[in-house]
Amino acid sequence: PQVCWLSPEQTAGKQKPYMYTQGQAVLNRSFFPCFDTPSVKFTYSATVKVPEGFTAVMSATSWEKQKDNTFVFKMSQPIPSYLIALVVGDIVSADVGPRSRVWAEPCLIEAAKKEYDGVIEEFLVVGEKLFGPYVWGRYDILFMPPSFPFGGMENPCLTFVTPCLLAGDRSLVDVIIHEISHSWFGNLVTNATWGEFWLNEGFTMYAQRRISTEVYGLPYTCLEAATGRALLRQHMDATGEEHPLNKLRVVIEPGLCLFLGVNPDDTYNETPYEKGYCFVSYLAHLVGNQSKFDAFLQAYVNRFKFQSITADDTLSFFLEYFPELKEKGVDSIPGFEFERWLNTPGWPPYLPDLSPGQQLMRPAEELAELWAADGLNMEAIEAVDITGWRTYQLVYFLDQVLQKSPLPEGNVKRLSKMYPKISKAQNAELRLRWCQIVLKNNLEAEYSKVKDFLSSQGKQKYTLPLYRAMWGGSEASRALAMETFSATAPQLHINVQNYVKKILGLEGAE
């Protein structure tokens, strides 16, 4: 399952086959013999011979091309097995900064260069200022074929990302901040077990939002965090708050046979990201001073770099670093006990204050109210100018519309006409929300947009919610689900295919 062989039609160029590996969480064991656990770190080298007309790249600190189209790679820093990654394809590169280049199929390279030129270095410099030196040498980005199931995979020196990030107007470049933040949290300091995945993702979400605040300001970051909180709410509503996977510390016990136990891949949901972010924010709130907490994060990275640790290590270090908090017994404040954070499923006991985002949220909320009304007040609607709204303000607006859906008859149709910037967007975050609104409102005239979006990419985060929405909707939307899946299944990653089959009740139907 780890090694993905793509036929030419699964690539962007549609000319040559492509191969990539995806190791997280426990799939690299099917690629090479290894201790396939994040608790073990090691250096590696590799020699890869590929046919003429193909290039190989790996998550390595150095690489050289030798004769016979043979590539030699070395990773000189110890990393866990899941971060070893290889791509072989018709790919080329272009420099976009002093230590960064973009890699992509030839048909995408110009778009990639235009979108990311100068962007990565700015984010890296802010990251270094906040969290300490960037130790990996290069930070390159590889734009994967459309069937890649993730937004990004933070393989060191070479982040793999979805081509969905090529929106054409830089409206999604800040998504890369998350992957850059993994350079410190996840790649340098790593969760020792997948049961504590929040150590990788919760700290990375916090780091991402710190960098974003420095670059874009607090209101925008709070707005983005509000979008994340809405996703956590949706996830917990869908699974039930008490679901055991809605704990930060998930029990992953090997089953007695192949079909029991929890697969670490199944722990991948909003909880480790957004509930994890809330817990790190709570620790910052206990400290009560941003620059002191920033200094703690630097010390934390420095103390545990190149190691794999548990939540107990993290929290003990936190209390050691702030002896005055340890003395106060902050780890056992009723209702906010550290143990409760880790071991109780459900909604986070503490939510960071996102009110600075109100200046961007309020106009979006008010506009959504206007569109949800029985008789549309077109004068008031036309008075709101959304041309200057950035991606997450539009996303927030669409999330509000989705919550209020189904809207009164005809409203969504008019909304679609009024804002072609939204209903015809190429930006994947907007397309996802628009498709959800189309389905929730049974707007059959725009069902083709759902099919087009699902045909254009195979990212899990976009694909699964849309299949859930189709399957939970009308007869027509169920038919759309079946029709779309049968047309697009071959271009999806095997894991995503299986998740969709589960949603559509096709498991065991072969």
Side-chain angles (χ1 to χ4, degrees):
Q2 201 280 349
V3 182
C4 302
W5 304 93
L6 306 185
S7 59
E9 56 268 25
Q10 289 176 294
T11 67
K14 312 261 186 260
Q15 301 300 312
K16 293 183 181 177
Y18 194 104
M19 173 270 204
Y20 72 89
T21 68
Q22 168 58 34
Q24 193 172 9
V26 289
L27 296 174
N28 265 344
R29 61 186 71 183
S30 67
F31 172 31
F32 60 94
C34 60
F35 291 105
D36 202 5
T37 160
S39 62
V40 176
K41 290 189 171 183
F42 48 85
T43 57
Y44 81 89
S45 62
T47 306
V48 185
K49 187 176 187 321
V50 301
E52 276 306 315
F54 290 87
T55 298
V57 288
M58 288 190 82
S59 53
T61 40
S62 74
W63 67 283
E64 57 168 316
K65 185 178 178 182
Q66 300 180 340
K67 58 181 194 307
D68 298 339
N69 228 26
T70 298
F71 296 82
V72 177
F73 301 95
K74 282 194 176 68
M75 170 48 88
S76 53
Q77 315 276 32
I79 58 171
S81 57
Y82 75 89
L83 290 176
I84 293 182
L86 165 69
V87 158
V88 179
D90 178 13
I91 50 173
V92 290
S93 67
D95 286 329
V96 290
R99 47 185 161 171
S100 302
R101 58 173 84 92
V102 287
W103 291 87
E105 292 178 61
C107 61
L108 290 178
I109 196 71
E110 272 314 304
K113 184 173 170 29
K114 205 171 129 204
E115 199 94 354
Y116 280 88
D117 211 4
V119 169
I120 297 169
E121 188 60 23
E122 180 187 10
F123 297 152
L124 282 174
V125 167
V126 176
E128 290 189 300
K129 187 183 92 181
L130 289 169
F131 314 120
Y134 177 77
V135 303
W136 306 101
R138 296 198 64 79
Y139 187 90
D140 290 0
I141 301 182
L142 174 68
F143 288 90
M144 299 292 281
S147 56
F148 186 60
F150 305 104
M153 180 58 218
E154 65 273 13
N155 304 310
C157 310
L158 185 71
T159 284
F160 291 5
V161 293
T162 170
C164 293
L165 294 192
L166 299 175
D169 56 3
R170 295 197 164 186
S171 58
L172 286 175
V173 293
D174 52 344
V175 174
I176 206 67
I177 299 176
H178 181 86
E179 308 310 331
I180 286 174
S181 301
H182 271 304
S183 306
W184 294 273
F185 304 96
N187 295 5
L188 199 49
V189 181
T190 309
N191 47 226
T193 75
W194 292 117
E196 297 191 324
F197 185 41
W198 78 272
L199 282 178
N200 279 14
E201 295 301 348
F203 274 89
T204 295
M205 291 305 294
Y206 187 87
Q208 167 199 321
R209 287 171 181 156
R210 280 296 294 122
I211 294 175
S212 169
T213 299
E214 296 287 309
V215 177
Y216 298 115
L218 190 57
Y220 184 69
T221 302
C222 287
L223 174 65
E224 185 274 322
T227 312
R229 189 179 294 175
L231 286 174
L232 180 65
R233 185 69 271 165
Q234 274 175 29
H235 161 72
M236 289 211 175
D237 288 346
T239 55
E241 282 199 18
E242 295 308 304
H243 195 287
L245 291 182
N246 291 334
K247 294 191 288 199
L248 290 182
R249 184 184 273 153
V250 177
V251 181
I252 299 181
E253 288 180 319
L256 302 174
C257 70
L258 274 177
F259 308 106
L260 297 172
V262 174
N263 180 338
D265 272 342
D266 296 338
T267 66
Y268 174 81
N269 62 48
E270 300 301 333
T271 299
Y273 291 78
E274 294 296 345
K275 189 175 178 177
Y277 165 72
C278 289
F279 190 18
V280 180
S281 302
Y282 176 65
L283 298 177
H285 162 76
L286 290 173
V287 174
N289 174 309
Q290 188 64 62
S291 50
K292 275 188 183 167
F293 193 71
D294 288 347
F296 159 73
L297 289 176
Q298 271 208 39
Y300 170 73
V301 169
N302 196 38
R303 165 76 177 77
F304 294 114
K305 61 183 180 223
F306 302 117
Q307 295 178 50
S308 301
I309 63 170
T310 64
D312 293 339
D313 298 323
T314 300
L315 297 170
S316 302
F317 182 72
F318 174 76
L319 294 171
E320 255 166 60
Y321 189 88
F322 296 110
E324 66 283 10
L325 293 181
K326 187 177 184 171
E327 231 167 89
K328 271 196 204 156
V330 293
D331 54 335
S332 49
I333 296 169
F336 301 95
E337 300 89 345
F338 289 179
E339 278 306 304
R340 176 188 167 147
W341 271 103
L342 294 175
N343 298 315
T344 309
W347 198 240
Y350 167 87
L351 295 170
D353 173 22
L354 303 181
S355 60
Q358 280 301 329
Q359 54 178 279
L360 298 174
M361 289 182 219
R362 206 169 294 116
E365 286 163 4
E366 286 164 1
L367 185 60
E369 285 287 340
L370 289 171
W371 279 106
D374 267 331
L376 290 179
N377 179 348
M378 290 314 290
E379 199 182 330
I381 286 171
E382 281 160 13
V384 184
D385 178 15
I386 68 164
T387 49
W389 288 15
R390 294 191 44 183
T391 299
Y392 279 106
Q393 197 169 8
L394 292 168
V395 161
Y396 188 76
F397 164 64
L398 293 177
D399 280 341
Q400 299 296 310
V401 171
L402 183 61
Q403 276 173 27
K404 298 176 194 310
S405 290
L407 303 188
E409 189 67 33
N411 287 19
V412 177
K413 207 170 175 177
R414 290 193 72 173
L415 193 152
S416 173
K417 219 171 169 166
M418 172 105 180
Y419 305 131
K421 174 183 179 174
I422 291 173
S423 59
K424 294 191 166 82
Q426 284 311 297
N427 176 315
E429 292 290 326
L430 299 180
R431 287 177 84 179
L432 167 68
R433 268 80 181 185
W434 185 247
C435 290
Q436 288 175 309
I437 288 167
V438 163
L439 292 167
K440 192 96 182 267
N441 289 277
N442 290 326
L443 190 62
E444 291 187 32
E446 297 204 14
Y447 274 8
S448 61
K449 287 185 178 167
V450 180
K451 192 173 180 180
D452 290 348
F453 182 45
L454 288 170
S455 306
S456 73
Q457 54 75 42
K459 187 178 165 186
Q460 185 170 312
K461 181 184 164 189
Y462 300 147
T463 304
L464 302 187
L466 288 179
Y467 276 104
R468 283 193 196 102
M470 285 188 278
W471 202 243
S474 64
E475 280 298 305
S477 78
R478 282 186 155 213
L480 177 71
M482 285 301 199
E483 179 195 323
T484 306
F485 185 58
S486 66
T488 59
Q491 67 192 45
L492 294 174
H493 184 275
I494 185 73
N495 285 358
V496 180
Q497 280 185 37
N498 289 335
Y499 285 131
V500 175
K501 281 180 184 170
K502 217 180 221 174
I503 293 167
L504 305 183
L506 297 173
E507 272 187 318
E510 278 85 68

